[in-house]
Amino acid sequence: MKTLGWLVRLVIFLVVLWFALANQHGVQVFAPMGQVWQGPLVWVLLLTLLIGLLLGVLLMLPPWWAQRRAAKRALAAAVASPAAKGGAPAALSTDDDGLGV
C-alpha cells in the first residue's frame, strides 16, 4: 500500500513538473494604475495559487476560532454537569450563536 501511495505521488510530481516546463513563456500581468508585471507563466500561476490559499486560510480563521471556543465551552459544561459525576443526565444546551455547533 505504501508503494502505491509513493507511485501516486511520483505521478503527481511528474505531471506538475511537466506543466511547469511546458509553461515557461513570459506573460504580462496588468495591475491597477497602469502597472505591468512580466514573468514566466508558471510563476504567475504559482503566485496566484499561493495568494488564494493564504486568503482562504485567513478568511476561515475566525470561524475556526469561534468553533474552538464553542467546543471548549461545551466540554467545560459537560465536565461540570451532574451527569459527569454520575447524577442525572444534563439537558443539551440550545445556545444558538449561528455556528450550528
Side-chain angles (χ1 to χ4, degrees):
M1 195 61 169
K2 284 185 179 184
T3 306
L4 181 62
W6 280 106
L7 184 63
V8 169
R9 289 178 184 151
L10 177 66
V11 168
I12 291 171
F13 172 77
L14 290 175
V15 168
V16 170
L17 180 66
W18 170 76
F19 181 78
L21 293 176
N23 291 296
Q24 288 293 323
H25 61 281
V27 295
Q28 293 181 344
V29 177
F30 296 95
M33 310 251 194
Q35 294 179 345
V36 178
W37 295 307
Q38 296 180 355
L41 178 61
V42 69
W43 289 112
V44 172
L45 291 174
L46 180 63
L47 182 64
T48 304
L49 173 73
L50 292 177
I51 289 172
L53 182 69
L54 179 66
L55 282 174
V57 168
L58 288 177
L59 290 174
M60 284 302 299
L61 279 178
W64 285 338
W65 288 336
Q67 188 175 16
R68 255 182 93 126
R69 282 193 306 271
K72 283 182 182 179
R73 280 190 303 243
L75 181 62
V79 168
S81 72
K85 297 179 178 87
L92 293 176
S93 171
T94 58
D95 182 35
D96 186 18
D97 55 358
L99 296 175
V101 179

